[in-house]
Amino acid sequence: MKEKVIERLIRYAKIDTQSDPESSTTPSTKKQWDLLNVLKDELAEIGLTDITLDENGYLFATLPSNTDKPVPTIGFLAHVDTSPDFSGTNVQPKRIDNYDGGDIQLNDECTLSPNQFPNLKNYVGQTLITTDGTTLLGADDKAGIAEIMTAMEYLVNHPEIKHGKIRVAFTPDEEIGRGPHKFDVKAFGADFAYTMDGGPLGELQYESFNAAAAKVTTRGISVHPGTAKGKMVNAITMAIKFHNFMPQEAVPEKTEGYEGFIHLMNFNGTIEEATLSYIIRDHDRNKFEAKKEYFRMVEQRIKEEYGDNAITVELEDQYYNMKEKIEPVKEIVDIAKRAMENLNIQPIVEPIRGGTDGSQLSYMGLPTPNIFAGGEYMHGKYEFVSAETMELAAKVIIEIVKLFEEETIE
């Protein structure tokens, strides 16, 4: 099983599937179809049925039940796109067998070192898949895809393992927050699901941020600087003033756990017009709403100084904390936890400091916790994943479906 997940990850990683937040299509990039079509053929080769790939890039398949018990239909999901934060073109994964705990030379100029990335010490003796130092790896979430594929293939080849109906979904555009936007929950037909989209071994998550995006636009008046006194209004200065009102400690680099943040993602400007793009995050709904209201308050202060037309703040909610929808069916988390314990994996139940497709799907009627896929330091050139962790993730999938079958009363 270990070699299967390695082979699949490396093969999938070499296919460029970066999503594009500026695109209005679904998928946001045509190249996501390249992997979707590969996976569609591979699902058929493995022996899954009811394979559908719709016009929006949502790939569904079924592993039929092989038990007479009325077992709930379980879904497993992963996303095909990789982050637009760093290059995903010409990915050349490197395999390091029996990692010795020292520096890994990715290329002549780039070293993956435990001095800078201390989690590497957790993988001594294991097989690591890394980048070549020029691209991201794409283990987020191609490791999840490899794990689901490998688990399904194993179940097909081992019919003695009894299970209910299993649904598989591979989706586009998760990295730009649109993964579930056109996901047909009714057509998928699962009672609940799991995303294989977490990080290190043991992660099990059913709490996510509440999330919003904010776009701030300031408008000024450009005048020759030699004759600007009393006439020029500098939109850049106004935008800086707006940002200086933002809390200095509630930023990603200074927060952890359940602490929320306001994160400036992009700043562009001229004297005539400047734009700031933020994301707003908090696990607590009241604190989340208060952060959005603070944006409105600062907007009003800028208007009082510069005029009503000087600034516009656009706020858009992106997803909400999935805990509210999963807690009523908490047994799906408990079974995943027991599946890990049966495999001698210590479950790490903690909130996601981000979102997964499950954040939105849970509010669409499909409760969907998140399980580890193995990647570390994702979205950049220092990304890596352990093959042993990927193998265990595939085994967790198998153990979950076994437990549901065993605990269903005929």
Side-chain angles (χ1 to χ4, degrees):
M1 192 178 288
K2 174 181 166 182
E3 291 301 320
K4 286 277 190 179
V5 289
I6 292 173
E7 183 276 327
R8 284 192 166 104
L9 172 64
I10 290 175
R11 180 159 47 88
Y12 303 155
K14 290 180 178 180
I15 303 172
D16 185 358
T17 57
Q18 278 188 306
S19 46
D20 178 5
E22 301 303 318
S23 169
S24 60
T25 64
T26 306
S28 62
T29 52
K30 289 182 179 179
K31 54 192 175 182
Q32 291 181 63
W33 289 106
D34 295 339
L35 180 54
L36 286 164
N37 286 314
V38 166
L39 295 174
K40 180 183 177 183
D41 291 342
E42 194 170 338
L43 287 164
E45 291 168 9
I46 287 172
L48 270 64
T49 63
D50 301 329
I51 301 168
T52 60
L53 177 57
D54 71 17
E55 68 275 11
N56 295 308
Y58 292 82
L59 176 59
F60 295 170
T62 297
L63 180 59
S65 172
N66 64 358
T67 179
D68 294 330
K69 292 183 178 181
V71 182
T73 299
I74 309 169
F76 292 95
L77 293 81
H79 61 90
V80 299
D81 67 313
T82 59
S83 172
D85 292 347
F86 201 76
S87 174
T89 302
N90 194 29
V91 175
Q92 297 296 324
K94 298 179 71 171
R95 173 175 175 162
I96 291 86
D97 289 301
N98 193 25
Y99 171 57
D100 63 7
D103 289 355
I104 299 173
Q105 200 69 37
L106 301 178
N107 60 39
D108 291 343
E109 300 176 352
C110 188
T111 302
L112 180 59
S113 171
N115 295 326
Q116 186 177 7
F117 302 102
N119 284 10
L120 273 167
K121 290 293 187 181
N122 299 330
Y123 299 98
V124 173
Q126 298 188 26
T127 299
L128 302 184
I129 310 301
T130 74
T131 77
D132 68 353
T134 63
T135 68
L136 48 67
L137 176 61
D140 180 13
D141 188 26
K142 290 169 183 175
I145 298 172
E147 292 152 8
I148 293 170
M149 281 291 202
T150 301
M152 294 304 107
E153 183 178 46
Y154 188 88
L155 289 168
V156 168
N157 293 332
H158 291 81
E160 71 276 8
I161 300 174
K162 299 303 179 183
H163 57 80
K165 181 180 179 180
I166 302 169
R167 289 286 273 164
V168 168
F170 300 128
T171 63
D173 292 340
E174 189 271 352
E175 295 291 359
I176 56 175
R178 303 181 202 160
H181 283 193
K182 297 182 180 180
F183 189 104
D184 191 334
V185 170
K186 184 177 179 180
F188 189 55
D191 295 293
F192 48 81
Y194 299 91
T195 46
M196 303 301 296
D197 194 19
L201 180 69
E203 279 193 356
L204 174 57
Q205 301 155 324
Y206 70 98
E207 299 178 71
S208 63
F209 279 136
N210 296 288
K215 181 181 179 182
V216 178
T217 305
T218 57
R219 302 174 190 87
I221 300 172
S222 180
V223 178
H224 189 287
T227 57
K229 185 174 181 180
K231 305 180 188 72
M232 178 186 286
V233 179
N234 194 324
I236 298 173
T237 302
M238 203 187 312
I240 291 170
K241 183 172 289 190
F242 181 95
H243 182 67
N244 285 341
F245 277 113
M246 294 295 108
Q248 301 302 302
E249 297 302 312
V251 292
E253 60 267 35
K254 296 183 180 180
T255 52
E256 61 183 356
Y258 283 97
E259 296 171 328
F261 59 74
I262 294 170
H263 180 35
L264 178 61
M265 298 281 288
N266 190 270
F267 185 177
N268 287 295
T270 64
I271 294 167
E272 282 281 341
E273 184 173 289
T275 59
L276 304 97
S277 297
Y278 293 89
I279 58 172
I280 302 167
R281 300 290 188 264
D282 210 297
H283 292 94
D284 184 283
R285 188 64 176 264
N286 291 330
K287 292 179 180 178
F288 172 65
E289 297 296 337
K291 284 179 169 64
K292 292 192 293 180
E293 186 58 34
Y294 186 72
F295 270 73
R296 293 297 184 201
M297 187 192 76
V298 176
E299 176 188 29
Q300 189 57 39
R301 292 188 68 165
I302 298 294
K303 284 182 175 181
E304 289 171 1
E305 182 174 354
Y306 291 95
D308 285 348
N309 296 324
I311 185 170
T312 302
V313 174
E314 300 170 78
L315 292 166
E316 180 183 3
D317 286 358
Q318 296 170 308
Y319 55 83
Y320 302 108
N321 190 341
M322 60 187 180
K323 177 182 178 181
E324 179 182 331
K325 300 299 181 182
I326 293 177
E327 278 200 323
V329 288
K330 183 85 174 328
E331 62 270 16
I332 67 178
V333 177
D334 296 336
I335 281 188
K337 187 176 179 181
R338 289 208 305 280
M340 292 186 193
E341 291 168 343
N342 289 352
L343 295 166
N344 296 314
I345 300 168
Q346 178 62 47
I348 303 169
V349 183
E350 60 183 12
I352 305 171
R353 286 187 60 78
T356 70
D357 282 346
S359 304
Q360 297 177 58
L361 289 171
S362 294
Y363 279 84
M364 294 165 64
L366 182 64
T368 308
N370 189 45
I371 293 174
F372 70 91
E376 294 251 27
Y377 307 116
M378 295 174 281
H379 294 196
K381 61 187 176 182
Y382 297 108
E383 183 183 6
F384 71 89
V385 66
S386 154
E388 284 78 3
T389 300
M390 287 194 295
E391 180 182 25
L392 284 169
K395 289 181 177 180
V396 166
I397 293 171
I398 296 164
E399 190 67 21
I400 286 173
V401 301
K402 285 172 59 180
L403 285 174
F404 270 103
E405 196 277 340
E406 291 168 1
E407 298 185 11
T408 297
I409 298 173
E410 293 189 58

